[in-house]
Amino acid sequence: MPCCSRKKTDGIEPQPIDRNKEKSAIDSNNSSNSGIDYSITIKTGNYDNSTTNGPAYIKIFGRDNKQTEDLLLTNSPNDKSFQSDSIKKFSVKGADIGKPHRIIIRHEDNENEWFIDYVEISVHNFLIRFVANRWLSATKHDQKLSVELFGSEQPAALYNVEVQTGSEQIEPLDSPVYIQIHGTTTRTPKIFLEPKDASFTKDSTVNFDISSNNVGEIQKIVIGHEGTGTVNDWYLKNVKVQTSAEQQKFTVNKWLSKTKGDQKLFVELNRNAISPPEIYSITIRTADVQRIDTIENIEMSIHGSNGHIDKILLKDHVKSNQQKIFQKGSLDEFEIEDKDIGDIESITIGFNDDEQIFAWLLESIDIKYKETVYRFQTQCWLSSRLGSNFSWITIKPDTNNDNINYKVIIETGDSKIDANVILCIYGDKDTTKNLALGTTKDGTSAKFNKDSRLEFDLKDIDVGKIQKINIGHDGKGDEQQWFLKSIEIEKNDEYYLFKAYRWLSEEQENFIDLLSEETLEEDQILYRIKIITSSEDDSGTDSNVFMKIYGENDQTKRFQLITTEQDSKLLFKKGKTDKFDIKLNDVGNIQKINIAQDGKGLHPVWHLKTVEIQKGTEFYKFNADEILDLSMLDVDLTPMPHVRLQSPKPIKSETPPKSIIKVQETMYEVLLRFDSRQETPIDDDNSLYMIIFGVNGQTKKMPLLLNKSGETEFKTNDVGKISKIILGQDETKHQVIWHVDNIIIKRGNEITTFNVERSIEQNTQIELTPSPIRKPSETPTIGVETKARPSSKKQNDIDYEIKTTTGEKSFDGKITFKIRGELGIITIPLTKTKTDAKPFQSKATDEFLCRTNDVGKLRRIIIEYNGTKNDNVWHLKKLQIIKGNEIYNFNTNIRLDYHENKVTLYPNDQRKEDFVQTELRRLRENLHSESLKLRRPLHKAHEPFVYNDLRPYFDTSTVEKAIHEPLETPTGYYTRLTALRIVEPWEAYGMDYGVNYELLKQRRYRTQSAKRSTIKTDDSIDRTQGSTHLPEFPCVAMQKPAAYQRTLTLNDVSKIRSFLRTHHTLKADYQKEKDYKRTHDDFYRMKLDNAASHTPINRDNMVRVYHSYLGTTPGSKKAVRDLCDQIPLNATKTTVETTV
């Protein structure tokens, strides 16, 4: 980030040099006796053509307007001292101006361009650095050959500058942009912000990391541009400057232009004033239920549209002087004073309870802020007994449209319980909070007595189709043995039955997960999978393992081999057999399986020996003996000839009594009529299927083997009067779309018609209810050939036009779009473009057209990658969806591959801008793109294979955690990940927690690699004096102030920094004297004063070594200079400036 100043300095403007008066300039070789010596070091930048051949001058300014003359730094007009990446040192004489404050450096070579990194000046025991990082050129930046720089004794500071351009910008700005930062101690020079491409475009946000002198606390900034480009109008929205100590945001919202606004190319922005705190009045109601233990350490954080309030302890903000809070049925009031965070969007409330003692039933929360009352209806239990994160909850203010009613019926068996019962519902869209079953539908207190049947009306968010529930009790009360029979849930005309028939108690388990009977019975079967890992060394892995099963009729989804009964870290170890019971769709006879590991973890190498699968009475065995590593993440296995198991003898089990019902079957005759758009011939080789629902249940998934007339018939269970059907199409080799007009089903003497007028694509299904056919016509008789009638456009069908732009590399895999709108969700596979061209080619823009049902206003889309090759990456640069008259644009520039195979995108007008999330995603993108540059080399025979993929340096797990995980990091143990992915646990523990690590006692059970060999030392050497006897560990000898004996918080950081600066300043002189004496003693104790006895060639080198290794502090530097002056070298007096 080069920087430069166009603004006039406070000193005298450098004047052109008269060639006839050059001899009057101070030359390092012709120094007069007047003035003092300045030791000047200049570092030239490592850029092409960064040099100067003309004379270079420097003028040094001190306090009280003291200044030197122009000091000549070159010997001749064509001196080539300043070459690229060079460091040149000069000793010049000039007037004594005291401590240097600022300088002006210039050169007179108009033909060359000179990039200066920094300038250092040593005088009066001061070492001042002036950071430049800019060009002195007649063609770049501000086109000046001189610059004013400000010095500092402190190390250079790193500034992160974020610049946001407004939506009013039309064309990208190409004029050089600069910023100057003013602080409490000094200011930076002009810092030019050089982006890699045209970044100052409409609605763009650009980040710059720049290094310059430390200005202290930021007071104001000056930002602008030079106005030397083709586009010189810039609408600046805001600027954010962040250092390690603070962050300042400056709002601009104005034009920097010669023709617009106030016709200025720069703007001066002052530090924002601190606004007075706002008052938040909080009222919390605790439910009226019996609890044994009370809790007071409740904490809360509030999130708003313009910021958030960090977690606070509520008992410190009680409005009244009541001693006990959060009691049974209590109403507690609190008052908080904090900053303005805008409209309240959500709150997080809870407590920490590692010992799982407390449980709190939170009923409601009211927050009054700026005359607005935000109500949060919770009615949920908070307790760590429910899980590691269930003692905390994040909720949003109540709205009238988000919540729906759930009718819940609980049936208890031969027992009773008086503990608190909690229910949580999981769906395919969302999850409810922990719902307390404390009050029944009629308003009475819930009592789960023997053979009772209680009904509850609950209100919470719509979770979509219910997948499972979690139910249990907290174990409080006299009766803790509860036999739960079943749970029934009704919502939005949907009915779910969950059968338990088991005991819930402290001895067994308090909480259980239950799946609905529909989920268990709908075309699913139990797969018993056994994985055997080889017993050879280093055979186990800690990566995640996945499997996909292929059969003669179908294939399963890709699922992970994991179990809730065992920690995932204990799976797939050396010589171990792991068993899994998983319910999946029945694929028929298994043809092959695909098993893979994701390559994550510390040991991504796995030696798989055998896989065994039992499906019903069929047994399949797969001999693998394969090693899965980063070069081969997955493998396809075919089974050995399988053996049908003997039917096991019935085992007695305590299950609910079931009455034996004889299933009646009937014949269904189905006629499908297609419209004129149907081009695919109608035959029995299709992938259509149907599920029929009636008053007596539903049929299984029935394939539709149609004849040329669109007719078929099948015999299955009688569902009674038909209430609805599901029509869908499975995946096939050919991309076929069926344009169905209507359906007629004959069951006995009953004929049911369905008006469809929809298109059925692969992997999609639609739900239909009986309806008359729209066009007036006679209902055809089943068995009579009919022609498809012309299509009629339906109001709820609409065209979707999808435009994608691919990056540099072509992609040959499959991409699927799932579009979610306010009225539902649709799935669109991107297989065929409008021009029938091959999609996703390099730098190509593809257009896809699909007509299907209208989902209303688009909320979000999910892009799924279906590739199988590791190096097959799709770079999606741009995306646009046109639906009717609506146009949706998405911020993409994403990459999808085998590991990151799914991404969710939101339309630009609906996505709230989050600077932190944007920066995190940019970091993830950079890490990912850099990791793709590494290629695994070929393994040559009879040669050792040494390869490190540097995966820890490109690991995006931390970034993913910061993007998707909550802000509050859960407590737990974390260890470091080294480059070789090997770390000995005790070594990690010692490095993390042992300050005096080398002096820790020998620990038990240490591995042999961790034991250190004893090193014999020479005891004849006196090592008890001087500073060469260094401690074995770095330690800080400073007493902790009494005010900080308590636990520290972030509010103490500024006070501690001020204390450290004061402490350092007070003891600076004492430390300087101490270092002087120490270095003086070391010099003579190590006999370094006999340098004159060495050869003349080595004397200068020895003096340089003395200064490099001993002169590390101001006191030691002064000691080394004084001592070297006393050594007779070359019969002349040697000083630091002439020798070094």
Side-chain angles (χ1 to χ4, degrees):
M1 273 61 64
C3 49
C4 156
S5 175
R6 191 175 181 184
K7 183 180 177 181
K8 290 188 177 182
T9 66
D10 296 335
I12 300 175
E13 181 82 14
Q15 302 298 322
I17 297 296
D18 187 354
R19 297 298 181 184
N20 297 326
K21 297 182 180 181
E22 270 192 5
K23 295 181 181 181
S24 64
I26 300 177
D27 194 336
S28 59
N29 296 329
N30 298 320
S31 58
S32 62
N33 295 328
S34 61
I36 61 171
D37 290 326
Y38 290 87
S39 178
I40 301 175
T41 303
I42 299 179
K43 170 69 168 61
T44 301
N46 187 15
Y47 291 91
D48 294 339
N49 302 323
S50 172
T51 183
T52 179
N53 295 330
Y57 301 88
I58 188 172
K59 180 178 287 189
I60 307 173
F61 297 82
R63 302 288 182 180
D64 302 328
N65 294 325
K66 292 182 179 180
Q67 64 184 49
T68 65
E69 300 178 0
D70 284 340
L71 307 180
L72 180 64
L73 299 177
T74 49
N75 298 325
S76 63
N78 294 320
D79 189 355
K80 297 183 179 181
S81 299
F82 304 104
Q83 300 299 316
S84 176
D85 200 26
S86 66
I87 299 177
K88 291 298 180 180
K89 298 182 179 180
F90 305 91
S91 180
V92 297
K93 281 188 177 292
D96 187 0
I97 51 93
K99 182 179 178 180
H101 175 60
R102 59 188 176 90
I103 63 172
I104 294 178
I105 187 169
R106 63 186 176 89
H107 73 108
E108 298 181 351
D109 187 356
N110 292 320
E111 297 179 358
N112 292 312
E113 300 169 339
W114 186 22
F115 187 93
I116 304 178
D117 273 349
Y118 62 84
V119 178
E120 280 187 350
I121 299 178
S122 176
V123 66
H124 292 309
N125 295 330
F126 294 111
L127 182 61
I128 312 297
R129 171 168 288 198
F130 301 83
V131 180
N133 283 338
R134 63 152 290 157
W135 290 95
L136 299 186
S137 167
T139 59
K140 292 185 177 181
H141 293 169
D142 54 0
Q143 303 175 3
K144 283 195 172 185
L145 301 181
S146 65
V147 64
E148 180 184 24
L149 303 176
F150 301 88
S152 174
E153 291 183 280
Q154 299 180 3
L158 183 65
Y159 300 89
N160 179 268
V161 179
E162 182 179 277
V163 181
Q164 186 175 4
T165 303
S167 58
E168 290 81 356
Q169 187 76 22
I170 300 176
E171 296 181 85
L173 177 72
D174 59 357
S175 175
V177 176
Y178 65 86
I179 187 173
Q180 189 173 25
I181 304 172
H182 296 250
T184 53
T185 58
T186 181
R187 63 180 182 267
T188 67
K190 274 187 178 180
I191 304 172
F192 280 89
L193 307 178
E194 287 188 322
K196 295 182 180 179
D197 50 13
S199 296
F200 301 105
T201 59
K202 179 179 180 179
D203 286 331
S204 66
T205 301
V206 197
N207 286 274
F208 303 91
D209 290 328
I210 55 179
S211 177
S212 188
N213 53 306
N214 194 332
V215 300
E217 188 176 3
I218 299 175
Q219 298 298 315
K220 69 176 182 178
I221 64 170
V222 177
I223 187 169
H225 64 94
E226 294 295 334
T228 57
T230 56
V231 178
N232 297 317
D233 299 330
W234 184 28
Y235 190 86
L236 179 60
K237 188 175 183 180
N238 54 56
V239 183
K240 184 164 62 176
V241 181
Q242 182 175 359
T243 66
S244 59
E246 62 175 324
Q247 174 179 299
Q248 292 295 327
K249 184 174 182 180
F250 303 89
T251 302
V252 187
N253 289 328
K254 65 180 299 185
W255 284 99
L256 303 184
S257 168
K258 291 182 178 179
T259 58
K260 296 182 179 181
D262 55 5
Q263 300 181 357
K264 290 184 179 180
L265 296 180
F266 68 93
V267 62
E268 183 175 313
L269 305 171
N270 293 316
R271 183 188 182 99
N272 293 332
I274 301 176
S275 58
E278 298 289 342
I279 298 178
Y280 299 80
S281 298
I282 303 173
T283 304
I284 298 179
R285 182 182 295 277
T286 302
D288 189 8
V289 295
Q290 185 61 38
R291 289 188 294 128
I292 298 177
D293 301 308
T294 59
I295 183 171
E296 293 187 352
N297 61 330
I298 305 295
E299 296 177 300
M300 175 191 285
S301 61
I302 307 175
H303 305 269
S305 57
N306 298 330
H308 69 279
I309 299 176
D310 293 332
K311 192 183 297 182
I312 57 174
L313 188 63
L314 288 176
K315 71 177 182 179
D316 295 338
H317 300 272
V318 180
K319 195 172 182 180
S320 61
N321 295 327
Q322 59 186 28
Q323 295 181 354
K324 292 186 178 181
I325 54 178
F326 307 117
Q327 300 299 305
K328 171 184 175 182
S330 66
L331 189 67
D332 303 303
E333 297 182 353
F334 308 88
E335 193 172 273
I336 300 173
E337 292 186 1
D338 212 301
K339 59 186 177 182
D340 183 4
I341 61 173
D343 296 333
I344 297 179
E345 297 178 345
S346 66
I347 64 172
T348 300
I349 189 170
F351 55 90
N352 295 320
D353 182 21
D354 297 334
E355 299 180 0
Q356 301 183 1
I357 298 176
F358 301 103
W360 181 38
L361 179 53
L362 175 61
E363 186 169 317
S364 64
I365 301 174
D366 292 340
I367 300 179
K368 184 178 180 182
Y369 169 57
K370 288 185 175 180
E371 303 303 327
T372 302
V373 178
Y374 299 87
R375 170 153 293 185
F376 303 83
Q377 289 287 354
T378 53
Q379 277 291 339
C380 69
W381 279 98
L382 300 182
S383 175
S384 58
R385 301 191 212 117
L386 305 176
S388 58
N389 295 323
F390 280 82
S391 61
W392 293 90
I393 186 174
T394 299
I395 49 180
K396 297 180 180 180
D398 289 348
T399 56
N400 296 327
N401 300 324
D402 289 347
N403 294 341
I404 65 170
N405 289 320
Y406 292 85
K407 179 182 176 182
V408 180
I409 300 176
I410 307 292
E411 186 175 0
T412 302
D414 190 12
S415 69
K416 67 176 182 177
I417 188 175
D418 55 2
N420 299 309
V421 177
I422 304 166
L423 172 67
C424 185
I425 304 174
Y426 298 82
D428 59 353
K429 296 179 181 178
D430 212 331
T431 303
T432 67
K433 55 183 177 288
N434 296 323
L435 305 172
L437 303 181
T439 305
T440 61
K441 181 179 180 180
D442 56 7
T444 61
S445 179
K447 296 181 180 180
F448 298 91
N449 295 326
K450 177 181 177 181
D451 296 328
S452 64
R453 182 180 173 88
L454 302 180
E455 184 175 340
F456 302 86
D457 275 346
L458 306 176
K459 192 172 184 180
D460 209 295
I461 59 175
D462 187 2
V463 299
K465 185 176 181 180
I466 298 178
Q467 304 288 344
K468 70 172 183 177
I469 64 170
N470 179 276
I471 189 170
H473 61 89
D474 60 0
K476 301 297 182 181
D478 298 331
E479 297 290 341
Q480 299 184 7
Q481 300 284 338
W482 185 31
F483 187 82
L484 176 62
K485 278 189 175 182
S486 63
I487 301 99
E488 301 174 42
I489 299 179
E490 293 183 18
K491 80 170 188 72
N492 295 342
D493 298 330
E494 299 175 8
Y495 174 80
Y496 300 89
L497 174 62
F498 303 86
K499 294 183 179 180
Y501 287 94
R502 69 181 72 181
W503 290 94
L504 300 182
S505 63
E506 291 283 355
E507 290 76 12
Q508 299 178 7
E509 54 183 348
N510 279 17
F511 292 88
I512 56 171
D513 289 336
L514 297 176
L515 300 176
S516 68
E517 291 299 302
E518 180 183 355
T519 304
L520 292 174
E521 296 175 2
E522 186 179 342
D523 299 327
Q524 287 196 340
I525 194 171
L526 180 65
Y527 291 80
R528 297 186 181 274
I529 303 173
K530 186 186 295 184
I531 305 293
I532 304 174
T533 304
S534 175
S535 58
E536 298 181 6
D537 293 338
D538 294 331
S539 296
T541 184
D542 56 353
S543 300
N544 299 318
V545 177
F546 300 86
M547 180 183 287
K548 190 173 184 179
I549 304 175
Y550 299 83
E552 60 180 359
N553 299 330
D554 202 352
Q555 64 187 27
T556 67
K557 63 181 181 180
R558 187 172 184 259
F559 57 92
Q560 184 177 358
L561 295 177
I562 193 170
T563 175
T564 58
E565 300 175 356
Q566 192 176 8
D567 189 357
S568 60
K569 297 180 181 179
L570 302 178
L571 298 175
F572 314 113
K573 298 304 179 185
K574 168 186 172 183
K576 190 177 178 183
T577 300
D578 300 295
K579 299 179 181 179
F580 308 90
D581 290 344
I582 301 177
K583 281 185 176 290
L584 299 166
N585 57 305
D586 188 1
V587 299
N589 292 330
I590 298 178
Q591 304 292 335
K592 71 171 183 176
I593 64 171
N594 177 271
I595 190 166
Q597 56 111 343
D598 59 2
K600 298 180 180 180
L602 300 177
H603 192 261
V605 180
W606 180 35
H607 189 173
L608 173 62
K609 186 177 181 181
T610 310
V611 179
E612 298 177 4
I613 299 178
Q614 179 183 344
K615 183 175 73 75
T617 59
E618 299 175 356
F619 179 80
Y620 300 85
K621 185 174 182 179
F622 304 82
N623 285 333
D625 197 20
E626 294 281 355
I627 297 178
L628 302 183
D629 56 10
L630 297 177
S631 63
M632 186 177 72
L633 291 173
D634 66 325
V635 63
D636 289 337
L637 302 176
T638 55
M640 300 173 63
H642 64 271
V643 180
R644 185 173 296 273
L645 300 177
Q646 295 182 355
S647 300
K649 295 181 180 180
I651 300 175
K652 271 192 171 183
S653 60
E654 295 184 3
T655 56
K658 294 183 178 179
S659 59
I660 300 176
I661 301 175
K662 186 177 180 180
V663 179
Q664 295 182 355
E665 294 187 347
T666 188
M667 183 66 70
Y668 293 86
E669 300 178 41
V670 181
L671 170 62
L672 269 72
R673 304 173 66 183
F674 302 91
D675 63 21
S676 60
R677 293 178 296 169
Q678 189 62 42
E679 299 177 355
T680 305
I682 304 173
D683 52 27
D684 58 356
D685 186 17
N686 62 72
S687 56
L688 290 173
Y689 63 86
M690 178 183 292
I691 304 174
I692 304 176
F693 296 81
V695 294
N696 298 330
Q698 68 180 66
T699 67
K700 63 180 181 179
K701 184 177 177 181
M702 305 299 299
L704 300 180
L705 307 178
L706 303 174
N707 58 21
K708 294 183 179 180
S709 301
E711 299 177 354
T712 185
E713 62 180 17
F714 49 83
K715 189 175 184 180
T716 184
N717 59 303
D718 188 1
V719 299
K721 185 177 181 180
I722 299 176
S723 60
K724 68 175 181 179
I725 64 171
I726 290 179
L727 179 66
Q729 181 185 184
D730 289 328
E731 184 177 2
T732 59
K733 296 181 180 179
H734 307 286
Q735 300 290 336
V736 179
I737 300 178
W738 298 96
H739 305 282
V740 183
D741 200 358
N742 53 64
I743 300 174
I744 304 173
I745 301 177
K746 181 179 181 182
R747 171 184 158 270
N749 296 325
E750 175 190 332
I751 296 179
T752 309
T753 61
F754 299 85
N755 191 70
V756 186
E757 298 182 7
R758 300 273 288 276
S759 299
I760 311 296
E761 299 183 354
Q762 289 191 18
N763 294 322
T764 59
Q765 64 181 21
I766 58 175
E767 182 178 314
L768 302 170
T769 55
S771 59
I773 298 176
R774 289 184 180 275
K775 288 192 175 182
S777 61
E778 296 181 359
T779 303
T781 306
I782 302 295
V784 179
E785 182 176 354
T786 59
K787 295 183 179 180
R789 62 190 178 94
S791 64
S792 59
K793 185 176 180 181
K794 193 177 179 181
Q795 293 181 357
N796 61 348
D797 279 0
I798 198 168
D799 290 329
Y800 291 82
E801 184 177 354
I802 303 175
K803 297 181 180 180
T804 64
T805 302
T806 305
E808 301 287 340
K809 188 176 180 182
S810 300
F811 172 71
D812 56 359
K814 297 179 180 179
I815 297 296
T816 302
F817 275 39
K818 290 184 178 179
I819 303 177
R820 179 175 292 278
E822 58 186 0
L823 303 180
I825 184 171
I826 58 173
T827 301
I828 301 177
L830 302 186
T831 56
K832 189 176 181 181
T833 64
K834 293 172 63 176
T835 59
D836 292 336
K838 187 176 181 180
F840 314 129
Q841 298 303 301
S842 175
K843 299 181 180 179
T845 299
D846 302 309
E847 296 184 6
F848 304 87
L849 184 64
C850 176
R851 183 174 182 82
T852 182
N853 55 314
D854 188 1
V855 296
K857 186 177 181 181
L858 302 192
R859 297 300 188 191
R860 64 176 183 269
I861 66 170
I862 300 176
I863 305 177
E864 294 183 349
Y865 166 98
N866 300 319
T868 57
K869 299 179 181 179
N870 298 337
D871 57 349
N872 202 10
V873 179
W874 183 40
H875 182 191
L876 175 60
K877 297 189 70 174
K878 296 179 180 179
L879 172 62
Q880 185 183 73
I881 297 180
I882 302 176
K883 183 177 75 70
N885 296 327
E886 302 172 4
I887 300 177
Y888 298 89
N889 294 305
F890 299 83
N891 289 332
T892 54
N893 197 24
I894 59 173
R895 286 179 170 84
L896 297 177
D897 58 13
Y898 185 75
H899 300 293
E900 298 183 8
N901 53 16
K902 184 184 294 185
V903 66
T904 302
L905 301 176
Y906 297 85
N908 290 344
D909 57 343
Q910 301 177 17
R911 185 175 181 270
K912 294 184 178 180
E913 188 173 11
D914 190 329
F915 296 109
V916 177
Q917 290 286 319
T918 302
E919 185 65 17
L920 289 172
R921 296 182 190 278
R922 183 193 64 79
L923 176 60
R924 180 182 63 179
E925 176 71 17
N926 290 346
L927 290 174
H928 182 77
S929 60
E930 290 298 324
S931 65
L932 295 178
K933 298 178 182 179
L934 293 178
R935 291 292 182 267
R936 184 184 181 91
L938 295 176
H939 184 188
K940 297 182 180 179
H942 311 294
E943 290 186 6
F945 185 69
V946 180
Y947 170 67
N948 185 358
D949 61 356
L950 302 179
R951 182 174 292 271
Y953 296 105
F954 303 116
D955 183 24
T956 60
S957 60
T958 304
V959 181
E960 294 287 352
K961 184 178 181 63
I963 293 174
H964 301 292
E965 291 293 321
L967 296 178
E968 302 297 334
T969 304
T971 58
Y973 175 75
Y974 296 88
T975 185
R976 58 173 53 82
L977 185 66
T978 65
L980 297 179
R981 297 191 293 278
I982 300 174
V983 60
E984 204 271 334
W986 276 113
E987 295 292 339
Y989 181 85
M991 287 184 282
D992 285 336
Y993 299 100
V995 177
N996 189 4
Y997 176 61
E998 296 291 336
L999 301 182
L1000 288 177
K1001 295 182 179 179
Q1002 199 67 258
R1003 309 172 185 87
R1004 297 180 62 188
Y1005 310 116
R1006 290 290 299 274
T1007 59
Q1008 190 66 26
S1009 62
K1011 296 181 179 179
R1012 296 175 174 78
S1013 59
T1014 305
I1015 302 176
K1016 295 183 178 180
T1017 58
D1018 189 357
D1019 297 334
S1020 62
I1021 301 175
D1022 183 10
R1023 301 180 183 274
T1024 60
Q1025 299 186 18
S1027 63
T1028 55
H1029 176 65
L1030 297 177
E1032 299 184 17
F1033 59 91
C1035 58
V1036 180
M1038 186 178 71
Q1039 185 178 2
K1040 188 176 181 181
Y1044 301 127
Q1045 296 298 330
R1046 56 179 173 80
T1047 303
L1048 300 180
T1049 64
L1050 288 176
N1051 296 329
D1052 298 317
V1053 172
S1054 59
K1055 299 178 182 178
I1056 294 176
R1057 286 180 177 152
S1058 176
F1059 170 77
L1060 292 176
R1061 285 194 294 267
T1062 305
H1063 185 275
H1064 182 271
T1065 304
L1066 293 176
K1067 294 195 174 183
D1069 295 336
Y1070 169 76
Q1071 186 65 33
K1072 184 175 180 180
E1073 296 177 1
K1074 182 179 178 181
D1075 292 344
Y1076 185 93
K1077 186 176 183 306
R1078 171 180 58 79
T1079 306
H1080 186 276
D1081 295 340
D1082 291 343
F1083 193 86
Y1084 287 104
R1085 183 177 57 80
M1086 293 185 289
K1087 300 180 180 180
L1088 301 180
D1089 53 336
N1090 61 353
S1093 61
H1094 296 278
T1095 59
I1097 298 177
N1098 295 333
R1099 292 175 189 171
D1100 289 342
N1101 291 334
M1102 291 186 64
V1103 173
R1104 290 187 179 92
V1105 172
Y1106 294 169
H1107 288 290
S1108 298
Y1109 286 92
L1110 294 180
T1112 57
T1113 65
S1116 60
K1117 288 180 181 178
K1118 186 175 185 304
V1120 173
R1121 281 197 295 268
D1122 294 344
L1123 293 168
C1124 289
D1125 288 342
Q1126 301 174 12
I1127 301 175
L1129 298 177
N1130 300 329
T1132 61
K1133 188 175 182 179
T1134 304
T1135 63
V1136 177
E1137 291 80 4
T1138 58
T1139 304
V1140 180

